Amino acid sequence: QVQLVESGGGLVQTGGSLRLSCSASGHTFSRAAIGWFRQAPGKEREFVAAIRWTGGDTLYAESVKGRSTISRDNAKNTMYLQMDSLKPEDTAVYYCAARQGTIATTPRWYDYWGRGTQVTVSS
């Protein structure tokens, strides 16, 4: 059974940085895509960034492009999302998700999800 566990969220001031981690277990991710999504209160879950486990192709939402970097450590089976220049509108619960195949931006195309980590950016 695939398990994804997020960590690294917290409270940060506007302009600050956080690095989120997603630890994966129970599956070989050699042909998987791993994505980060976020959901703010009263809003739909939205795509943030994704990476192919093999090859390292990446994709970012326009809202975070230039401020965020997604990466993975194959040896640790862990994916990271470095977020810089954080804004209050980045406040949300951040989820990592996994699927077989190519990168996707639609949440329903992902098969496995973590429980999320809260990111709060104060103004």
Side-chain angles (χ1 to χ4, degrees):
Q1 185 176 357
V2 176
Q3 288 190 326
L4 302 173
V5 180
E6 304 94 336
S7 61
L11 174 64
V12 64
Q13 292 184 335
T14 296
S17 298
L18 282 175
R19 188 177 79 156
L20 306 183
S21 299
C22 175
S23 178
S25 62
H27 187 71
T28 300
F29 289 95
S30 60
R31 290 186 293 275
I34 310 294
W36 282 101
F37 292 79
R38 66 187 182 187
Q39 188 166 18
K43 295 187 176 181
E44 293 187 352
R45 192 167 298 188
E46 66 174 3
F47 172 76
V48 177
I51 187 168
R52 283 294 306 276
W53 200 260
T54 301
D57 295 340
T58 60
L59 182 67
Y60 296 90
E62 287 298 322
S63 58
V64 302
K65 190 177 292 184
R67 301 188 295 122
S68 297
T69 304
I70 190 171
S71 62
R72 83 266 191 249
D73 184 329
N74 292 0
K76 295 182 179 179
N77 245 17
T78 300
M79 178 184 63
Y80 305 97
L81 181 67
Q82 175 70 38
M83 299 190 298
D84 302 313
S85 302
L86 283 162
K87 307 174 182 179
E89 51 263 44
D90 294 317
T91 295
V93 177
Y94 283 70
Y95 300 90
C96 69
R99 67 184 299 271
Q100 288 295 335
T102 59
I103 288 173
T105 60
T106 304
R108 69 175 182 271
W109 291 350
Y110 284 77
D111 301 307
Y112 307 102
W113 290 84
R115 293 187 175 184
T117 185
Q118 176 71 47
V119 171
T120 303
V121 184
S122 63
S123 57

